[in-house]
Amino acid sequence: MNNIPITVIVSVKNEELNLPSCLDKLVRFDQIIVVDSGSTDQTMTIALAKGAEVLQFQWNGKFPKKRNWVLQNAIIKHEWVLFLDADEFVTEAFVDEISIKTKDPNFNGFTIQFENYFMGKKLCYGYGFKKSALFKKSKGAYEKIDEDLWSHLDMEVHEHPIIEGQVGVIKSKIIHKDFKDLEHYIAKHNAYSTWEAKRYLQLKEAKNSHLSLNQKIKYGLLNTGLLPAVYFVGAYFLKLGFLDGKEGFYLARFKSHYFFQIQTKVNSLKK
């Protein structure tokens, strides 16, 4: 069945490598909106050629950021919205499942899960990845974080959607596979770690208690200095990341180093 009444919103910037594969898999949805942040490659041309609606977003450094801006300003035809990045590819099983489950009036949102690839290899072990990126536009929005003075990211990366009512789980997974190189991965996580360090200090100063269990554990371990080591042991040994071969080792090391970056940046910012 085509023309599924869900609006898919794909956030992009210079995504000419990933975007064609992403959009090709969305043909069954009735509305596809690509929200660009001034791409300088062929991203815009590809999006238009694939029949997507294209919006340009220019962040002014204040709320709202990219995804909330779309919710507030775009002409969204359907109540249900699915937020994707260009390196996230839906499967037929996933599309079939959400086309049925979004008809259930008891749910206002769903958590989606990912099948991860790293350095071109599918990973079967380590920590999984999930986020609540499918919800009713009248019942959800991304959390607002007071970051006007320090954020340099124009899109909600670590902000979580706040959804009213019951949130279910989609069992079929989305493929998360970035066609860009390792240098891009490292640069991206360097930017993210700076954001996380500043966010951590802001939360500490505000004594903010509105955190998920995972966030409380993460920031608690960050406070002790043990987070990088704990993450590596958990991902590589307890979650059997070693069974993914050298790619499993590399990912566990890169992610633990990411937390080490946050830790050292927190100390640097304090000074």
PDB file of all heavy atoms in Angstrom, residues 29-43:
ATOM      1  N   PHE A  29       5.350   6.503   1.521  1.00  0.00           N
ATOM      2  CA  PHE A  29       4.784   7.536   2.392  1.00  0.00           C
ATOM      3  C   PHE A  29       4.191   8.672   1.562  1.00  0.00           C
ATOM      4  O   PHE A  29       4.712   9.034   0.504  1.00  0.00           O
ATOM      5  CB  PHE A  29       5.848   8.077   3.340  1.00  0.00           C
ATOM      6  CG  PHE A  29       6.327   7.053   4.343  1.00  0.00           C
ATOM      7  CD1 PHE A  29       7.507   6.350   4.134  1.00  0.00           C
ATOM      8  CD2 PHE A  29       5.588   6.773   5.481  1.00  0.00           C
ATOM      9  CE1 PHE A  29       7.952   5.403   5.038  1.00  0.00           C
ATOM     10  CE2 PHE A  29       6.016   5.823   6.397  1.00  0.00           C
ATOM     11  CZ  PHE A  29       7.200   5.132   6.177  1.00  0.00           C
ATOM     12  N   ASP A  30       3.129   9.265   2.086  1.00  0.00           N
ATOM     13  CA  ASP A  30       2.402  10.289   1.339  1.00  0.00           C
ATOM     14  C   ASP A  30       3.149  11.617   1.264  1.00  0.00           C
ATOM     15  O   ASP A  30       3.030  12.335   0.276  1.00  0.00           O
ATOM     16  CB  ASP A  30       1.022  10.514   1.974  1.00  0.00           C
ATOM     17  CG  ASP A  30       0.182  11.490   1.174  1.00  0.00           C
ATOM     18  OD1 ASP A  30      -0.062  11.222  -0.009  1.00  0.00           O
ATOM     19  OD2 ASP A  30      -0.199  12.544   1.723  1.00  0.00           O
ATOM     20  N   GLN A  31       3.899  11.968   2.307  1.00  0.00           N
ATOM     21  CA  GLN A  31       4.602  13.258   2.313  1.00  0.00           C
ATOM     22  C   GLN A  31       6.016  13.083   2.849  1.00  0.00           C
ATOM     23  O   GLN A  31       6.220  12.505   3.914  1.00  0.00           O
ATOM     24  CB  GLN A  31       3.852  14.290   3.165  1.00  0.00           C
ATOM     25  CG  GLN A  31       4.483  15.683   3.114  1.00  0.00           C
ATOM     26  CD  GLN A  31       3.757  16.690   4.007  1.00  0.00           C
ATOM     27  OE1 GLN A  31       3.148  16.317   5.007  1.00  0.00           O
ATOM     28  NE2 GLN A  31       3.828  17.961   3.651  1.00  0.00           N
ATOM     29  N   ILE A  32       6.980  13.600   2.088  1.00  0.00           N
ATOM     30  CA  ILE A  32       8.384  13.573   2.502  1.00  0.00           C
ATOM     31  C   ILE A  32       8.914  14.997   2.449  1.00  0.00           C
ATOM     32  O   ILE A  32       8.847  15.668   1.410  1.00  0.00           O
ATOM     33  CB  ILE A  32       9.230  12.665   1.582  1.00  0.00           C
ATOM     34  CG1 ILE A  32       8.667  11.250   1.561  1.00  0.00           C
ATOM     35  CG2 ILE A  32      10.689  12.655   2.039  1.00  0.00           C
ATOM     36  CD1 ILE A  32       9.189  10.402   0.426  1.00  0.00           C
ATOM     37  N   ILE A  33       9.410  15.467   3.575  1.00  0.00           N
ATOM     38  CA  ILE A  33       9.984  16.820   3.666  1.00  0.00           C
ATOM     39  C   ILE A  33      11.464  16.697   3.993  1.00  0.00           C
ATOM     40  O   ILE A  33      11.847  16.061   4.979  1.00  0.00           O
ATOM     41  CB  ILE A  33       9.278  17.657   4.753  1.00  0.00           C
ATOM     42  CG1 ILE A  33       7.779  17.775   4.460  1.00  0.00           C
ATOM     43  CG2 ILE A  33       9.911  19.036   4.866  1.00  0.00           C
ATOM     44  CD1 ILE A  33       6.985  18.475   5.568  1.00  0.00           C
ATOM     45  N   VAL A  34      12.308  17.296   3.173  1.00  0.00           N
ATOM     46  CA  VAL A  34      13.740  17.361   3.433  1.00  0.00           C
ATOM     47  C   VAL A  34      14.059  18.760   3.941  1.00  0.00           C
ATOM     48  O   VAL A  34      13.764  19.758   3.268  1.00  0.00           O
ATOM     49  CB  VAL A  34      14.561  17.051   2.161  1.00  0.00           C
ATOM     50  CG1 VAL A  34      16.047  17.308   2.401  1.00  0.00           C
ATOM     51  CG2 VAL A  34      14.343  15.596   1.745  1.00  0.00           C
ATOM     52  N   VAL A  35      14.646  18.841   5.138  1.00  0.00           N
ATOM     53  CA  VAL A  35      14.968  20.130   5.741  1.00  0.00           C
ATOM     54  C   VAL A  35      16.479  20.309   5.696  1.00  0.00           C
ATOM     55  O   VAL A  35      17.231  19.591   6.352  1.00  0.00           O
ATOM     56  CB  VAL A  35      14.476  20.206   7.203  1.00  0.00           C
ATOM     57  CG1 VAL A  35      14.570  21.644   7.701  1.00  0.00           C
ATOM     58  CG2 VAL A  35      13.059  19.711   7.311  1.00  0.00           C
ATOM     59  N   ASP A  36      16.917  21.270   4.905  1.00  0.00           N
ATOM     60  CA  ASP A  36      18.339  21.458   4.637  1.00  0.00           C
ATOM     61  C   ASP A  36      18.894  22.640   5.426  1.00  0.00           C
ATOM     62  O   ASP A  36      18.171  23.571   5.773  1.00  0.00           O
ATOM     63  CB  ASP A  36      18.536  21.697   3.132  1.00  0.00           C
ATOM     64  CG  ASP A  36      20.003  21.755   2.749  1.00  0.00           C
ATOM     65  OD1 ASP A  36      20.779  20.918   3.249  1.00  0.00           O
ATOM     66  OD2 ASP A  36      20.376  22.651   1.969  1.00  0.00           O
ATOM     67  N   SER A  37      20.190  22.572   5.716  1.00  0.00           N
ATOM     68  CA  SER A  37      20.863  23.674   6.422  1.00  0.00           C
ATOM     69  C   SER A  37      21.974  24.255   5.553  1.00  0.00           C
ATOM     70  O   SER A  37      23.139  24.241   5.908  1.00  0.00           O
ATOM     71  CB  SER A  37      21.453  23.173   7.744  1.00  0.00           C
ATOM     72  OG  SER A  37      20.444  22.767   8.633  1.00  0.00           O
ATOM     73  N   GLY A  38      21.591  24.716   4.360  1.00  0.00           N
ATOM     74  CA  GLY A  38      22.549  25.377   3.486  1.00  0.00           C
ATOM     75  C   GLY A  38      23.607  24.460   2.900  1.00  0.00           C
ATOM     76  O   GLY A  38      24.795  24.804   2.875  1.00  0.00           O
ATOM     77  N   SER A  39      23.198  23.301   2.410  1.00  0.00           N
ATOM     78  CA  SER A  39      24.151  22.366   1.815  1.00  0.00           C
ATOM     79  C   SER A  39      24.871  22.996   0.622  1.00  0.00           C
ATOM     80  O   SER A  39      24.284  23.764  -0.151  1.00  0.00           O
ATOM     81  CB  SER A  39      23.432  21.095   1.345  1.00  0.00           C
ATOM     82  OG  SER A  39      22.986  20.330   2.431  1.00  0.00           O
ATOM     83  N   THR A  40      26.134  22.628   0.472  1.00  0.00           N
ATOM     84  CA  THR A  40      26.946  23.144  -0.641  1.00  0.00           C
ATOM     85  C   THR A  40      27.254  22.055  -1.665  1.00  0.00           C
ATOM     86  O   THR A  40      27.967  22.307  -2.630  1.00  0.00           O
ATOM     87  CB  THR A  40      28.259  23.738  -0.109  1.00  0.00           C
ATOM     88  OG1 THR A  40      28.943  22.754   0.687  1.00  0.00           O
ATOM     89  CG2 THR A  40      27.995  24.964   0.753  1.00  0.00           C
ATOM     90  N   ASP A  41      26.722  20.834  -1.455  1.00  0.00           N
ATOM     91  CA  ASP A  41      26.920  19.760  -2.425  1.00  0.00           C
ATOM     92  C   ASP A  41      25.614  19.551  -3.213  1.00  0.00           C
ATOM     93  O   ASP A  41      24.842  20.478  -3.391  1.00  0.00           O
ATOM     94  CB  ASP A  41      27.388  18.478  -1.719  1.00  0.00           C
ATOM     95  CG  ASP A  41      26.338  17.949  -0.726  1.00  0.00           C
ATOM     96  OD1 ASP A  41      25.252  18.550  -0.610  1.00  0.00           O
ATOM     97  OD2 ASP A  41      26.622  16.929  -0.076  1.00  0.00           O
ATOM     98  N   GLN A  42      25.345  18.345  -3.671  1.00  0.00           N
ATOM     99  CA  GLN A  42      24.176  18.077  -4.506  1.00  0.00           C
ATOM    100  C   GLN A  42      22.930  17.666  -3.709  1.00  0.00           C
ATOM    101  O   GLN A  42      21.962  17.160  -4.290  1.00  0.00           O
ATOM    102  CB  GLN A  42      24.528  16.977  -5.512  1.00  0.00           C
ATOM    103  CG  GLN A  42      25.577  17.378  -6.526  1.00  0.00           C
ATOM    104  CD  GLN A  42      25.137  18.578  -7.356  1.00  0.00           C
ATOM    105  OE1 GLN A  42      24.060  18.568  -7.960  1.00  0.00           O
ATOM    106  NE2 GLN A  42      25.952  19.624  -7.374  1.00  0.00           N
ATOM    107  N   THR A  43      22.944  17.887  -2.405  1.00  0.00           N
ATOM    108  CA  THR A  43      21.829  17.461  -1.567  1.00  0.00           C
ATOM    109  C   THR A  43      20.482  18.002  -2.062  1.00  0.00           C
ATOM    110  O   THR A  43      19.504  17.253  -2.208  1.00  0.00           O
ATOM    111  CB  THR A  43      22.059  17.899  -0.109  1.00  0.00           C
ATOM    112  OG1 THR A  43      23.189  17.194   0.415  1.00  0.00           O
ATOM    113  CG2 THR A  43      20.856  17.604   0.755  1.00  0.00           C
TER     114      THR A  43
END
